[in-house]
Short mmCIF file of all heavy atoms in Angstrom, two decimals:
data_model
loop_
_atom_site.label_atom_id
_atom_site.label_comp_id
_atom_site.label_asym_id
_atom_site.label_seq_id
_atom_site.Cartn_x
_atom_site.Cartn_y
_atom_site.Cartn_z
N VAL B 508 45.91 30.21 26.48
CA VAL B 508 47.28 30.34 25.98
C VAL B 508 47.28 31.27 24.79
O VAL B 508 46.34 31.28 23.98
CB VAL B 508 47.90 28.98 25.57
CG1 VAL B 508 48.30 28.17 26.77
CG2 VAL B 508 46.97 28.20 24.66
N ARG B 509 48.35 32.07 24.68
CA ARG B 509 48.49 32.97 23.53
C ARG B 509 49.67 32.47 22.70
O ARG B 509 50.76 32.25 23.22
CB ARG B 509 48.76 34.39 24.01
CG ARG B 509 47.56 35.05 24.65
CD ARG B 509 47.65 36.57 24.63
NE ARG B 509 46.41 37.13 25.13
CZ ARG B 509 46.10 37.20 26.44
NH1 ARG B 509 46.94 36.75 27.35
NH2 ARG B 509 44.95 37.73 26.81
N LEU B 510 49.43 32.30 21.42
CA LEU B 510 50.46 31.82 20.51
C LEU B 510 50.57 32.79 19.35
O LEU B 510 49.59 33.45 18.98
CB LEU B 510 50.10 30.42 19.99
CG LEU B 510 49.78 29.37 21.06
CD1 LEU B 510 49.26 28.09 20.42
CD2 LEU B 510 51.02 29.07 21.91
N GLU B 511 51.75 32.86 18.77
CA GLU B 511 51.98 33.85 17.73
C GLU B 511 52.92 33.29 16.67
O GLU B 511 53.87 32.55 17.00
CB GLU B 511 52.64 35.06 18.39
CG GLU B 511 52.32 36.36 17.73
CD GLU B 511 53.03 37.49 18.47
OE1 GLU B 511 52.60 37.82 19.58
OE2 GLU B 511 54.02 37.99 17.91
N HIS B 512 52.66 33.64 15.45
CA HIS B 512 53.56 33.25 14.35
C HIS B 512 53.53 34.36 13.31
O HIS B 512 52.47 34.94 13.04
CB HIS B 512 53.09 31.93 13.72
CG HIS B 512 53.92 31.48 12.57
ND1 HIS B 512 54.99 30.62 12.71
CD2 HIS B 512 53.87 31.79 11.24
CE1 HIS B 512 55.55 30.40 11.52
NE2 HIS B 512 54.89 31.10 10.62
N THR B 513 54.69 34.65 12.73
CA THR B 513 54.72 35.67 11.68
C THR B 513 55.22 35.07 10.37
O THR B 513 56.26 34.41 10.35
CB THR B 513 55.63 36.85 12.08
OG1 THR B 513 55.14 37.40 13.32
CG2 THR B 513 55.62 37.93 11.01
N PHE B 514 54.43 35.25 9.35
CA PHE B 514 54.86 34.90 7.99
C PHE B 514 55.59 36.13 7.44
O PHE B 514 54.99 37.20 7.30
CB PHE B 514 53.65 34.58 7.10
CG PHE B 514 52.92 33.32 7.48
CD1 PHE B 514 51.92 33.34 8.45
CD2 PHE B 514 53.23 32.11 6.87
CE1 PHE B 514 51.23 32.18 8.80
CE2 PHE B 514 52.54 30.94 7.22
CZ PHE B 514 51.54 30.98 8.17
N ARG B 515 56.89 36.00 7.14
CA ARG B 515 57.68 37.16 6.74
C ARG B 515 57.88 37.22 5.22
O ARG B 515 57.95 36.19 4.57
CB ARG B 515 59.05 37.13 7.42
CG ARG B 515 58.93 37.18 8.94
CD ARG B 515 60.23 37.49 9.65
NE ARG B 515 60.04 37.32 11.10
CZ ARG B 515 59.43 38.21 11.88
NH1 ARG B 515 59.00 39.36 11.39
NH2 ARG B 515 59.25 37.98 13.17
N ASN B 516 58.00 38.44 4.73
CA ASN B 516 58.32 38.66 3.32
C ASN B 516 57.41 37.82 2.42
O ASN B 516 57.86 37.04 1.61
CB ASN B 516 59.80 38.34 3.08
CG ASN B 516 60.22 38.72 1.67
OD1 ASN B 516 59.57 39.52 1.00
ND2 ASN B 516 61.32 38.13 1.20
N VAL B 517 56.11 38.00 2.62
CA VAL B 517 55.13 37.17 1.91
C VAL B 517 55.09 37.53 0.43
O VAL B 517 54.94 38.69 0.07
CB VAL B 517 53.74 37.34 2.55
CG1 VAL B 517 52.69 36.62 1.74
CG2 VAL B 517 53.76 36.84 3.99
N GLN B 518 55.27 36.52 -0.41
CA GLN B 518 55.33 36.76 -1.85
C GLN B 518 54.14 36.17 -2.59
O GLN B 518 53.91 36.49 -3.75
CB GLN B 518 56.62 36.12 -2.42
CG GLN B 518 57.91 36.74 -1.90
CD GLN B 518 58.09 38.17 -2.39
OE1 GLN B 518 57.65 38.53 -3.48
NE2 GLN B 518 58.72 39.00 -1.57
N GLN B 519 53.43 35.27 -1.93
CA GLN B 519 52.37 34.55 -2.64
C GLN B 519 51.13 34.45 -1.76
O GLN B 519 51.25 34.26 -0.54
CB GLN B 519 52.87 33.13 -2.98
CG GLN B 519 51.97 32.38 -3.93
CD GLN B 519 52.49 30.98 -4.23
OE1 GLN B 519 53.52 30.55 -3.71
NE2 GLN B 519 51.77 30.26 -5.07
N SER B 520 49.97 34.57 -2.36
CA SER B 520 48.72 34.41 -1.61
C SER B 520 48.71 33.03 -0.96
O SER B 520 49.18 32.05 -1.56
CB SER B 520 47.52 34.56 -2.53
OG SER B 520 47.46 35.88 -3.04
N PHE B 521 48.17 32.95 0.24
CA PHE B 521 48.19 31.68 0.96
C PHE B 521 47.00 31.59 1.90
O PHE B 521 46.23 32.54 2.03
CB PHE B 521 49.51 31.50 1.72
CG PHE B 521 49.69 32.41 2.91
CD1 PHE B 521 49.49 31.93 4.21
CD2 PHE B 521 50.07 33.74 2.75
CE1 PHE B 521 49.66 32.77 5.32
CE2 PHE B 521 50.23 34.59 3.85
CZ PHE B 521 50.03 34.09 5.14
N TYR B 522 46.87 30.42 2.51
CA TYR B 522 45.86 30.27 3.56
C TYR B 522 46.54 29.62 4.75
O TYR B 522 47.62 29.02 4.63
CB TYR B 522 44.67 29.44 3.08
CG TYR B 522 44.97 27.97 2.91
CD1 TYR B 522 44.73 27.06 3.93
CD2 TYR B 522 45.55 27.49 1.73
CE1 TYR B 522 45.03 25.72 3.79
CE2 TYR B 522 45.85 26.15 1.58
CZ TYR B 522 45.59 25.27 2.61
OH TYR B 522 45.90 23.95 2.47
N LEU B 523 45.92 29.73 5.89
CA LEU B 523 46.44 29.06 7.08
C LEU B 523 45.27 28.50 7.86
O LEU B 523 44.14 28.97 7.75
CB LEU B 523 47.25 30.04 7.93
CG LEU B 523 46.49 31.25 8.48
CD1 LEU B 523 45.95 30.98 9.88
CD2 LEU B 523 47.41 32.47 8.49
N ARG B 524 45.55 27.47 8.61
CA ARG B 524 44.54 26.90 9.51
C ARG B 524 45.24 26.31 10.72
O ARG B 524 46.47 26.18 10.73
CB ARG B 524 43.69 25.85 8.79
CG ARG B 524 44.46 24.64 8.26
CD ARG B 524 43.53 23.71 7.48
NE ARG B 524 44.19 22.51 6.99
CZ ARG B 524 44.33 21.38 7.70
NH1 ARG B 524 43.88 21.32 8.95
NH2 ARG B 524 44.93 20.32 7.18
N VAL B 525 44.45 26.00 11.75
CA VAL B 525 45.00 25.59 13.04
C VAL B 525 44.32 24.32 13.51
O VAL B 525 43.11 24.17 13.35
CB VAL B 525 44.77 26.72 14.08
CG1 VAL B 525 45.27 26.29 15.45
CG2 VAL B 525 45.45 28.01 13.64
N ARG B 526 45.12 23.39 14.06
CA ARG B 526 44.53 22.22 14.72
C ARG B 526 45.27 22.01 16.03
O ARG B 526 46.40 22.49 16.20
CB ARG B 526 44.62 20.97 13.85
CG ARG B 526 46.02 20.42 13.75
CD ARG B 526 46.12 19.09 12.99
NE ARG B 526 47.54 18.71 12.95
CZ ARG B 526 48.04 17.75 12.20
NH1 ARG B 526 47.26 17.06 11.39
NH2 ARG B 526 49.33 17.48 12.24
N GLY B 527 44.64 21.31 16.95
CA GLY B 527 45.29 21.05 18.22
C GLY B 527 44.93 19.67 18.70
O GLY B 527 43.95 19.06 18.25
N SER B 528 45.75 19.16 19.64
CA SER B 528 45.56 17.79 20.10
C SER B 528 45.92 17.67 21.57
O SER B 528 46.70 18.46 22.11
CB SER B 528 46.45 16.87 19.25
OG SER B 528 46.64 15.62 19.88
N ASP B 529 45.38 16.63 22.21
CA ASP B 529 45.79 16.31 23.58
C ASP B 529 47.13 15.60 23.58
O ASP B 529 47.66 15.29 24.66
CB ASP B 529 44.71 15.48 24.29
CG ASP B 529 44.48 14.12 23.62
OD1 ASP B 529 45.18 13.81 22.64
OD2 ASP B 529 43.59 13.38 24.10
N GLY B 530 47.67 15.32 22.41
CA GLY B 530 49.01 14.74 22.30
C GLY B 530 49.10 13.26 22.64
O GLY B 530 50.18 12.69 22.66
N ASN B 531 47.95 12.62 22.86
CA ASN B 531 47.99 11.21 23.28
C ASN B 531 48.32 10.24 22.16
O ASN B 531 48.93 9.20 22.40
CB ASN B 531 46.64 10.81 23.89
CG ASN B 531 46.44 11.39 25.27
OD1 ASN B 531 47.43 11.76 25.92
ND2 ASN B 531 45.21 11.49 25.71
N GLN B 532 47.84 10.53 20.96
CA GLN B 532 48.01 9.57 19.87
C GLN B 532 48.50 10.30 18.62
O GLN B 532 47.71 10.78 17.82
CB GLN B 532 46.70 8.83 19.58
CG GLN B 532 46.23 7.99 20.76
CD GLN B 532 45.05 7.09 20.40
OE1 GLN B 532 44.97 6.56 19.29
NE2 GLN B 532 44.12 6.91 21.33
N LEU B 533 49.82 10.34 18.49
CA LEU B 533 50.44 11.06 17.38
C LEU B 533 51.43 10.14 16.67
O LEU B 533 52.07 9.30 17.31
CB LEU B 533 51.22 12.27 17.88
CG LEU B 533 50.51 13.28 18.77
CD1 LEU B 533 51.51 14.33 19.25
CD2 LEU B 533 49.37 13.93 18.02
#
Side-chain angles (χ1 to χ4, degrees):
Chain B
V508 284
R509 289 201 174 78
L510 307 172
E511 210 180 287
H512 178 93
T513 302
F514 292 87
R515 299 194 188 282
N516 187 19
V517 173
Q518 296 292 329
Q519 191 181 1
S520 295
F521 70 102
Y522 71 94
L523 61 93
R524 61 184 182 87
V525 177
R526 73 175 178 192
S528 162
D529 63 2
N531 286 339
Q532 296 189 37
L533 307 175

